[in-house]
Amino acid sequence: MSRPADSAVSAASAVSAVRTYIEQHRAAFLDDLAEWLRIPSVSAEPGHASDVRRSADWLAAKLRETGFPTVEVWRTPGAPAVYAQWPAADPDAPVVLVYGHHDVQPAAREDGWETEPFEPVVRGNRLHARGAADDKGQVFFHTLGVRAHLAATGRTAPAVTLKLLVEGEEESGSPHFRALVEEHAERLAVDAVIVSDTGMWSEDTPTVCTGMRGLAECEIRLYGPDQDIHSGSFGGAVPNPATAVARLVAALHDDHARVAVPGFYDGVLELTDRERALFAELPFDEQRWLRTAGSHAAHGEAGHTTLERVWARPTAEVNGIGGGYQGPGSKTIIPADAMVKLSFRLVAGQDPDQVEKAVRAWAAQQVPPGIRCEITFGAATRPCLTPLDHPALQSVVRAMGRAFDRPVRYTREGGSGPAADLQDVLGAPVLFLGISVPSDGWHAPNEKVEIDLLLKGVETSAYLWDDLALHWRHGP
Amino acid sequence: MSRPADSAVSAASAVSAVRTYIEQHRAAFLDDLAEWLRIPSVSAEPGHASDVRRSADWLAAKLRETGFPTVEVWRTPGAPAVYAQWPAADPDAPVVLVYGHHDVQPAAREDGWETEPFEPVVRGNRLHARGAADDKGQVFFHTLGVRAHLAATGRTAPAVTLKLLVEGEEESGSPHFRALVEEHAERLAVDAVIVSDTGMWSEDTPTVCTGMRGLAECEIRLYGPDQDIHSGSFGGAVPNPATAVARLVAALHDDHARVAVPGFYDGVLELTDRERALFAELPFDEQRWLRTAGSHAAHGEAGHTTLERVWARPTAEVNGIGGGYQGPGSKTIIPADAMVKLSFRLVAGQDPDQVEKAVRAWAAQQVPPGIRCEITFGAATRPCLTPLDHPALQSVVRAMGRAFDRPVRYTREGGSGPAADLQDVLGAPVLFLGISVPSDGWHAPNEKVEIDLLLKGVETSAYLWDDLALHWRHGP
């Protein structure tokens, strides 16, 4: 899990050259990043549409300045993406696509920010701003990374053919991303995708993530009486949709907290003993994790640890439930309708379309006579997973190990992202290289990035292209 | 069940005199009622507090005008009640208290009203306005009723000592009603209470109600994580309060739709065979009843008919449920909390305090580790029931039979009212005289009263006092 012994000397000299280069350029790098972070590229807010476009243009200019010979802003029906390409000199070198996004979550001072979210502030080792970690900082470390790579190796082009795709709608569910990738599939053809939009275990424990869960979401709405009716006049004698929705949700899990929808687990790729052992090696403090969650108990599928539950097991969660009177006091009605919003996290081997079918069939069976059921599914996200022994994954592990000078361990990500679309459309494995830590506050007030970890990201990026070119070749 | 044969002639002349009087005064009566209905006396909305007071003052003035020698507005810590008294000439005449309320349910045009809820409109035989049936119309028919009684009999005082108590907080659960009755218990001492805040079977089938269900209400709030948390990062591994609240609700009933709270049925007075037979005699069309409910199936406790379920069986209903994200689209969170509002209808023999204890004990047992539970009970209403052979009940049956010229049958009321407090505090039987029909839309948009039934209410009231004085005497 660290540098190979046979290249120890050249590796040591490469490390030294890379570190020197980064040290020389760190101030300008942080200044540039701060300039980007000042652009409030909030994709969810229509009023910020021009800022999202400005953010794309800013990045495109910066990538040209970095040296990418091809840089384009790709329009979509929503916010634009930025594409850049830098061919390797060797036509047999691996072709790699770096994925990230330049849009950010909404943020306002009054949400609890100690400083203006779009006015970057350095406090100690921390750079605070919306997007510092998610995801501008982690996109941006590749710009200094590739320059450090060139400087340290004396190359004029990267050791791999490097492509970058930085989308502008990730925080809005990437509604046009798959179509964009399909449209440009030929130009985007790659051997591997490197996603820099995740995190690592902790400051002390560098990790690479090997997969993300997928996501299927639905709203189930149950209709009872044509309007709210008096619970005195009718109570006890007609079906109540709020009771029905509760019984539906109660039937979603069995007594072992397994999802009770028939067929839900079909195809699930079970964890191997080695993967379970690797998860168990991580310095996981469940009590501390619960404090991070603000939760007061661990609870989940029987027979699995907490990490297995959040990373490698499919789940069904209630995101919202509602029906009838929810104001102060009481109102003695049988409500006309009630609804529940469910999200299903999916793991490798599960097919969102099959899950949707299974949920629809199950729900239809749960609904009692006199209650009408409407189910709406949103766009799904597929799960993705790269095998532990994949050569490109091992390159990421080695590059990261060299940058951090520590053993690199393995994680997965419980959340979901558009990475799976890249895997699907491009037929390439997806690898995750992220240096964010759990305290960075993604989607929360006072988001930050740890500056020394950000520079370790630069360093990892600087080592990665050489390592990939050394251990892997282009082609099927 | 109709007029006694020995008084057929005098009864016929009384009927003629009453009907003539009512016909002469009907226009003014309806105009007056419309004026009262224009006052939006919504007790649940603090912004309408002055309207509720105005409604009390309006009624007090009208009762003075009607001839009641004593009329008082009784303040409470909430909305005021109106009290009026008119002594019979005969000190041995029965003493009767009429109960009703002058506050109304909230109503707004945008709830689905075809016209302004506080701008009464006559369409055909129907008077539409919030409060037309529940309960201003049914309080108000007694004013013309007593005048018709006096005119037809040539009396200057009613045949019974008539007391009226019209409260202003019924739609808010009558929080100060019991204390008010206790405070004035001596002045309110009566032989029987006539509640005019219920309905009858249908336009064609006059009925008297012999009892009401009681009511206990609570809100159960379950707390999970300290704030909403990401369902990708934590989903499947911590308890979800929305799931927990759904499982709690699902556990509320067994598979036979019986309430599964241990001890809930303790003390329940089971229906006699005669009562079941009387219920079964009613021309009950379940499909039509379902259309009235706007419901699409009958469903309830196994082993009981629909009428038994709504009138004579205790129930548990969800009035509202809520937690997490309920807006458009999706939000992948585990919510911080979720709640359910439950109401329990109680029947004779059940004690609200015991029910509260049983529900608290049951809920505490359902809540999983890591979830905190808070339960708040509102003020409860006791059930009440008058024996079928009570002489005052038989007077109501005869008066109604005379007004409607049809046999009068027996019902019960599934809803709840403060009548039980009157029964408790005053030690008097409670009788129900109501002319509202199921289509009147209590608590719903476009509430109305059938004008010809309203006038039959006037007529019943006009006959009742004579019949009571003839068949019953004051005293224990």
Side-chain angles (χ1 to χ4, degrees):
Chain A
M1 279 191 253
S2 63
R3 60 187 108 147
D6 61 357
S7 62
V9 176
S10 70
S13 100
V15 165
S16 166
V18 162
R19 288 184 180 168
T20 302
Y21 188 88
I22 294 172
E23 196 48 42
Q24 286 165 347
H25 294 82
R26 108 180 230 152
F29 168 75
L30 291 173
D31 284 351
D32 283 349
L33 175 57
E35 193 175 299
W36 196 19
L37 291 169
R38 276 188 199 98
I39 303 174
S41 50
V42 180
S43 59
E45 293 173 2
H48 282 296
S50 67
D51 293 318
V52 183
R53 288 195 296 272
R54 197 151 57 89
S55 163
D57 292 340
W58 186 96
L59 176 62
K62 194 54 63 177
L63 291 173
R64 281 184 202 108
E65 200 180 290
T66 300
F68 280 84
T70 303
V71 178
E72 296 169 15
V73 173
W74 285 355
R75 306 284 160 203
T76 77
V82 177
Y83 174 72
Q85 187 174 332
W86 197 339
D90 177 359
D92 290 332
V95 182
V96 174
L97 174 70
V98 170
Y99 165 85
H101 61 91
H102 67 91
D103 64 321
V104 299
Q105 279 276 312
R109 185 71 184 262
E110 56 269 28
D111 295 343
W113 284 77
E114 288 168 19
T115 55
E116 289 298 330
F118 297 105
E119 198 45 68
V121 171
V122 173
R123 283 204 296 268
N125 183 45
R126 295 172 165 190
L127 171 60
H128 287 271
R130 173 58 88 222
D134 177 22
D135 181 39
K136 285 173 174 169
Q138 302 203 92
V139 166
F140 206 59
F141 72 59
H142 287 289
T143 62
L144 185 55
V146 70
R147 286 171 55 209
H149 161 62
L150 298 179
T153 58
R155 293 173 186 272
T156 53
V160 300
T161 290
L162 196 54
K163 300 179 180 187
L164 241 81
L165 181 58
V166 184
E167 72 155 318
E169 298 187 312
E170 199 275 342
E171 300 295 3
S172 299
S174 303
H176 308 104
F177 185 67
R178 192 182 173 99
L180 188 76
V181 173
E182 283 169 347
E183 183 190 343
H184 297 282
E186 256 182 73
R187 293 183 71 192
L188 291 172
V190 283
D191 297 308
V193 175
I194 308 271
V195 169
S196 281
D197 185 28
T198 54
M200 57 182 219
W201 182 260
S202 70
E203 283 85 337
D204 303 329
T205 307
T207 49
V208 294
C209 167
T210 65
M212 293 183 95
R213 292 197 287 192
L215 179 62
E217 291 173 309
C218 70
E219 180 176 305
I220 303 179
R221 199 165 274 274
L222 300 187
Y223 296 89
D226 296 337
Q227 55 186 354
D228 292 352
I229 56 176
H230 194 287
S231 71
S233 306
F234 301 104
V238 297
N240 180 325
T243 305
V245 90
R247 293 179 80 93
L248 184 82
V249 170
L252 191 58
H253 295 91
D254 68 14
D255 290 340
H256 306 287
R258 272 177 71 86
V259 178
V261 174
F264 180 74
Y265 289 96
D266 285 1
V268 163
L269 195 68
E270 298 290 335
L271 281 163
T272 63
D273 288 347
R274 170 143 192 253
E275 286 169 308
R276 296 184 78 154
L278 285 170
F279 285 3
E281 266 179 20
L282 288 162
F284 179 64
D285 177 339
E286 189 161 87
Q287 288 310 311
R288 191 173 160 186
W289 181 86
L290 283 172
R291 283 195 297 277
T292 307
S295 179
H296 305 279
H299 173 75
E301 189 187 351
H304 288 281
T305 65
T306 290
L307 286 184
E308 290 167 15
R309 288 168 181 165
V310 292
W311 286 347
R313 297 301 300 168
T315 63
E317 287 289 348
V318 178
N319 307 125
I321 190 168
Y325 181 69
Q326 300 180 45
S330 62
K331 191 174 180 189
T332 47
I333 54 164
I334 296 172
D337 57 79
M339 71 88 201
V340 62
K341 287 175 190 277
L342 300 177
S343 61
F344 300 90
R345 298 284 166 176
L346 310 178
V347 300
Q350 279 180 305
D351 173 4
D353 293 339
Q354 288 302 321
V355 167
E356 176 174 339
K357 267 184 210 156
V359 170
R360 285 184 182 278
W362 164 82
Q365 282 205 324
Q366 303 297 317
V367 175
I371 299 282
R372 187 167 59 81
C373 174
E374 271 181 20
I375 310 186
T376 315
F377 270 82
T381 307
R382 289 178 181 278
C384 60
L385 185 67
T386 300
L388 292 176
D389 56 1
H390 193 284
L393 180 67
Q394 289 305 317
S395 283
V396 175
V397 168
R398 277 189 300 269
M400 201 168 194
R402 191 171 299 168
F404 282 85
D405 224 354
R406 287 169 184 266
V408 173
R409 301 191 184 279
Y410 298 90
T411 65
R412 290 202 204 173
E413 166 60 42
S416 311
D421 285 330
L422 293 165
Q423 178 184 261
D424 266 13
V425 180
L426 306 180
V430 174
L431 316 167
F432 298 86
L433 165 55
I435 51 75
S436 179
V437 288
S439 61
D440 282 353
W442 290 34
H443 299 202
N446 304 308
E447 179 180 347
K448 54 88 181 168
V449 69
E450 300 284 330
I451 293 171
D452 57 358
L453 298 183
L454 189 66
L455 297 174
K456 292 291 180 196
V458 173
E459 204 178 328
T460 303
S461 168
Y463 303 138
L464 180 57
W465 316 130
D466 259 345
D467 196 288
L468 272 172
L470 190 64
H471 293 90
W472 205 33
R473 304 308 292 162
H474 171 53
Chain B
M1 275 193 251
S2 62
R3 60 189 109 145
D6 61 358
S7 62
V9 176
S10 71
S13 99
V15 164
S16 167
V18 162
R19 287 184 180 168
T20 303
Y21 188 87
I22 292 173
E23 197 47 41
Q24 286 165 346
H25 295 83
R26 109 180 228 151
F29 168 75
L30 291 173
D31 284 351
D32 283 348
L33 175 56
E35 191 176 300
W36 194 19
L37 291 169
R38 275 188 199 100
I39 303 175
S41 49
V42 180
S43 58
E45 292 172 4
H48 282 296
S50 68
D51 292 318
V52 183
R53 288 194 297 272
R54 197 150 57 88
S55 162
D57 292 340
W58 186 96
L59 176 63
K62 194 55 64 179
L63 292 173
R64 280 184 204 105
E65 200 179 291
T66 299
F68 281 85
T70 303
V71 178
E72 296 169 15
V73 172
W74 286 354
R75 307 284 160 204
T76 77
V82 177
Y83 175 72
Q85 187 175 331
W86 198 338
D90 176 0
D92 290 332
V95 181
V96 173
L97 174 70
V98 169
Y99 164 86
H101 60 92
H102 66 90
D103 64 321
V104 298
Q105 278 276 312
R109 183 73 183 263
E110 56 269 27
D111 295 343
W113 285 76
E114 287 168 21
T115 55
E116 289 298 330
F118 297 105
E119 197 46 65
V121 171
V122 173
R123 284 203 295 267
N125 183 46
R126 295 172 164 190
L127 171 61
H128 286 271
R130 173 58 87 221
D134 177 21
D135 183 36
K136 286 173 175 169
Q138 302 204 91
V139 165
F140 206 58
F141 72 58
H142 287 287
T143 62
L144 184 56
V146 71
R147 287 171 54 210
H149 161 62
L150 299 180
T153 57
R155 294 175 184 271
T156 54
V160 301
T161 289
L162 197 54
K163 301 180 179 183
L164 241 80
L165 181 58
V166 183
E167 72 154 318
E169 297 186 313
E170 200 274 344
E171 300 296 3
S172 299
S174 303
H176 307 104
F177 185 68
R178 191 182 174 99
L180 187 76
V181 174
E182 283 169 347
E183 182 189 343
H184 297 282
E186 255 181 72
R187 294 183 70 191
L188 291 171
V190 282
D191 298 308
V193 175
I194 309 272
V195 169
S196 281
D197 184 28
T198 54
M200 57 181 218
W201 182 259
S202 71
E203 283 85 338
D204 304 327
T205 307
T207 48
V208 294
C209 168
T210 65
M212 294 183 93
R213 293 197 286 193
L215 180 63
E217 291 173 308
C218 69
E219 180 177 306
I220 304 180
R221 199 165 274 274
L222 300 186
Y223 296 90
D226 295 337
Q227 55 187 356
D228 292 353
I229 57 176
H230 194 287
S231 71
S233 307
F234 301 104
V238 298
N240 180 325
T243 305
V245 89
R247 293 179 78 93
L248 184 82
V249 170
L252 190 57
H253 295 92
D254 68 15
D255 291 340
H256 306 286
R258 274 177 69 87
V259 178
V261 174
F264 181 74
Y265 290 96
D266 287 0
V268 163
L269 196 68
E270 300 291 334
L271 281 164
T272 63
D273 289 345
R274 172 145 191 252
E275 285 168 309
R276 295 184 80 154
L278 285 171
F279 285 3
E281 263 178 24
L282 288 162
F284 180 64
D285 178 338
E286 189 161 271
Q287 289 309 311
R288 192 173 159 186
W289 180 86
L290 283 172
R291 283 195 297 277
T292 308
S295 180
H296 305 279
H299 173 76
E301 189 187 351
H304 289 280
T305 66
T306 290
L307 286 184
E308 290 167 15
R309 287 168 180 165
V310 292
W311 287 347
R313 299 301 301 169
T315 64
E317 287 289 348
V318 178
N319 306 125
I321 190 168
Y325 181 69
Q326 299 180 47
S330 62
K331 192 175 179 187
T332 46
I333 54 164
I334 295 171
D337 57 80
M339 72 88 201
V340 62
K341 288 177 189 278
L342 300 177
S343 63
F344 301 90
R345 297 285 167 177
L346 311 178
V347 300
Q350 279 181 303
D351 173 2
D353 293 339
Q354 289 302 321
V355 167
E356 176 174 339
K357 267 183 210 157
V359 170
R360 286 185 182 277
W362 165 80
Q365 281 204 325
Q366 303 296 318
V367 175
I371 300 282
R372 187 167 58 81
C373 175
E374 271 180 20
I375 309 186
T376 315
F377 269 82
T381 306
R382 290 177 181 277
C384 62
L385 188 65
T386 300
L388 293 175
D389 56 1
H390 192 284
L393 180 66
Q394 289 304 317
S395 282
V396 175
V397 168
R398 279 188 300 269
M400 201 168 195
R402 190 169 301 166
F404 283 84
D405 223 356
R406 286 169 184 265
V408 173
R409 302 191 183 279
Y410 297 90
T411 65
R412 289 203 205 170
E413 166 59 42
S416 311
D421 285 329
L422 293 166
Q423 178 184 260
D424 268 12
V425 179
L426 306 180
V430 174
L431 317 166
F432 298 87
L433 165 54
I435 51 73
S436 178
V437 287
S439 61
D440 283 353
W442 290 32
H443 298 204
N446 304 306
E447 180 180 348
K448 56 89 182 166
V449 70
E450 300 284 331
I451 293 170
D452 57 357
L453 298 183
L454 189 65
L455 298 174
K456 291 291 181 196
V458 173
E459 203 177 329
T460 304
S461 168
Y463 303 138
L464 180 57
W465 316 130
D466 258 347
D467 195 287
L468 272 171
L470 191 65
H471 293 91
W472 204 34
R473 305 306 294 159
H474 172 54

